[in-house]
């Protein structure tokens, strides 16, 4: 069994030629901006070896085909498609969040403007469906349907996330539902799409999808912990980044939905205008931790991972691929929290 980093490296190597070939179908301007976003070229068009991301979703797609006894090549169009959808969402996320950098490079919207970023993201989303349907496989239509439904849920999660910014109170259940859409939906589809393309039984596809969904929620829980307490050298974000933007993340929502002075104090702070300084952010992070927000999020992430692993063990799968999926899920979730 290979390690998760080796699996991810293999996934990136496997899909990159097909992903580049797909992006080459785009119009010149969209192609240039997408290639820049993927880290293949500089803003001026010179070849580069910038960080193109971990390729977690393509790795899941390839492994899901192997898990049902099919060669990974069967899942290659699905792997390319989920990577395109993921990066469509990143290009749009950067614009919506006002993020000027991703992986230490200027974002597409910052270089070419909001309208170009919207169109480039849209082009990648449309291209994902085209890549799937062009396979000519009888299973292409179900795979495309899965991806379309997934994109709808991903967008639902984004809509919820934006709406939370305008609300004074958000329940933990609403936050988990948002995470299941924004993060879990595409990981779920990625873990199932190779099996769909391979024509696997519905019960097997459903088990793989449930695995990906639970990994996605666990990932978001840990990500929210890192957004408050993470080491900037590990996360690539400033310390207390989610608190600085007063984001109602999962640990924050857990505290807000308790009764008591700490919950009241946090609720009052979230509505306080002005830019918080580092001392204030440390105080609020300590408040959330003291109220159990951090411990709850990490415990819930562990519970979700256990559910993911149970799902994989509930159906007949190739033993080696199952172990790879288990290792990959743990690698994605078990970060420096």
């Amino acid at each position: 069994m290979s390690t998760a980093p080796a699996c991810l490296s293999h996934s990136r190597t496997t899909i990159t030629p097909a992903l580049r070939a797909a992006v080459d179908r785009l119009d010149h301007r969209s192609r240039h901006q997408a290639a820049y976003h993927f880290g293949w070229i500089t803003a001026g068009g010179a070849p580069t070896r910038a960080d193109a991301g971990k390729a977690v979703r393509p790795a899941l797609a390839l492994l899901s085909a192997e898990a049902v006894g099919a060669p990974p090549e069967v899942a290659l169009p699905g792997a390319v498609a989920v990577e395109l959808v993921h990066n469509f969402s990143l290009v749009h996320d950067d614009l919506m969040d006002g993020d000027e950098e991703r992986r230490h490079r200027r974002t597409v919207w910052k270089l070419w403007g909001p309208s170009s970023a919207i169109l480039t993201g849209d082009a990648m989303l449309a291209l994902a469906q085209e890549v799937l349907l062009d396979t000519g496989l009888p299973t292409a239509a179900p795979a495309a349907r899965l991806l379309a439904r997934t994109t709808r849920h991903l967008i639902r999660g984004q809509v919820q996330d934006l709406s939370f910014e305008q609300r004074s109170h958000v329940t933990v259940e609403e936050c988990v539902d948002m995470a299941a859409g924004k993060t879990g939906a595409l990981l779920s589809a990625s873990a199932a799409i190779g099996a769909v393309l391979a024509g696997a039984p519905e019960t097997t596809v459903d088990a793989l999808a449930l695995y990906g969904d639970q990994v996605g929620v666990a990932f978001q829980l840990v990500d929210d912990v890192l957004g408050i307490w993470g080491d900037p050298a590990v996360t690539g974000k400033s310390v207390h980044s989610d608190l600085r933007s007063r984001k109602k993340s999962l640990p924050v929502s857990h505290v807000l939905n308790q009764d008591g002075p700490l919950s009241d104090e946090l609720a009052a702070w979230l509505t306080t205008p002005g830019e918080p300084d580092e001392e204030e952010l440390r105080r609020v992070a300590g408040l959330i931790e003291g109220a159990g927000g951090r411990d709850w999020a990490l415990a819930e992430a562990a519970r979700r991972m256990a559910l993911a692993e149970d799902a994989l063990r509930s159906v007949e799968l190739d033993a080696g691929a199952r172990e790879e999926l288990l290792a990959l899920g743990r690698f994605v979730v078990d970060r420096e929290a």
Side-chain angles (χ1 to χ4, degrees):
M1 182 181 70
S2 64
T3 63
C7 176
L8 292 172
S9 177
H10 174 71
S11 167
R12 173 61 65 195
T13 301
T14 300
I15 72 152
T16 295
L19 184 60
R20 283 179 175 266
V23 170
D24 280 346
R25 302 185 191 185
L26 299 177
D27 65 274
H28 172 73
R29 189 174 179 84
S30 299
R31 180 170 67 246
H32 183 92
Q33 292 173 18
Y36 169 82
H37 170 79
F38 279 115
W40 302 335
I41 59 172
T42 66
T48 184
R49 291 189 175 184
D51 178 17
K54 292 185 177 67
V56 169
R57 290 152 193 85
L60 290 172
L62 297 174
L63 282 172
S64 72
E66 292 185 63
V68 299
E73 293 76 21
V74 169
L76 186 56
V80 169
V82 295
E83 187 72 343
L84 285 167
V85 171
H86 176 54
N87 283 278
F88 134 77
S89 73
L90 295 183
V91 170
H92 283 195
D93 277 357
D94 289 340
L95 173 57
M96 288 187 291
D97 296 342
D99 290 339
E100 298 185 1
E101 287 194 354
R102 175 172 292 279
R103 305 186 194 108
H104 310 294
R105 306 170 85 218
R106 283 185 292 171
T107 49
V108 171
W109 79 266
K110 187 62 180 175
L111 281 171
W112 291 287
S115 296
S116 285
I118 292 168
L119 291 170
T120 297
D122 289 349
M124 287 194 282
L125 178 58
L127 185 60
Q129 291 288 355
E130 186 180 347
V131 166
L132 280 175
L133 293 171
D134 276 356
T135 64
L137 293 170
T139 52
R145 191 178 302 115
L146 169 65
L147 197 64
R149 185 170 65 246
T150 296
T151 305
R152 175 165 55 82
H153 286 304
L154 187 159
I155 292 169
R156 170 185 60 77
Q158 288 282 26
V159 170
Q160 288 174 296
D161 198 21
L162 286 174
S163 74
F164 292 171
E165 296 176 9
Q166 313 302 321
R167 293 169 51 184
S168 59
H169 182 76
V170 178
T171 69
V172 173
E173 291 75 18
E174 285 178 308
C175 274
V176 171
D177 185 55
M178 179 274 291
K182 184 178 177 181
T183 307
L186 190 54
L187 283 168
S188 177
S190 300
I193 200 165
V196 171
L197 286 166
E202 186 175 346
T203 54
T204 303
V205 170
D206 288 347
L208 287 163
L210 178 59
Y211 155 80
D213 181 61
Q214 297 298 334
V215 168
V217 176
F219 173 90
Q220 191 60 58
L221 284 155
V222 173
D223 200 58
D224 284 357
V225 168
L226 293 174
I228 299 175
W229 296 282
D231 181 351
V234 176
T235 65
K237 302 176 182 179
S238 61
V239 67
H240 304 134
S241 60
D242 283 354
L243 286 185
R244 195 179 305 279
S245 60
R246 289 183 163 85
K247 181 179 178 181
K248 297 180 188 72
S249 62
L250 284 155
V252 170
S253 296
H254 175 76
V255 176
L256 289 175
N257 282 276
Q258 299 175 9
D259 291 323
L262 293 180
S263 176
D264 293 342
E265 185 179 349
L266 179 60
W269 179 80
L270 287 169
T271 59
T272 303
E275 181 75 18
D277 59 25
E278 288 302 326
E279 183 179 351
E280 184 179 352
L281 290 171
R282 282 194 296 271
R283 179 184 68 81
V284 175
L287 184 159
I288 297 167
E289 186 164 12
R294 178 174 181 162
D295 287 345
W296 169 80
L298 293 175
E300 181 64 9
R303 188 180 77 84
R304 295 282 179 164
M305 273 306 303
L307 291 173
E309 295 180 2
D310 287 346
L312 286 187
R313 295 189 177 104
S314 70
V315 291
E316 189 80 25
L317 297 173
D318 175 82
R322 189 203 318 266
E323 289 305 313
E324 293 271 16
L325 285 166
L326 290 170
L328 187 55
R330 293 173 191 134
F331 177 79
V332 168
V333 173
D334 294 344
R335 291 169 290 161
E336 296 288 335

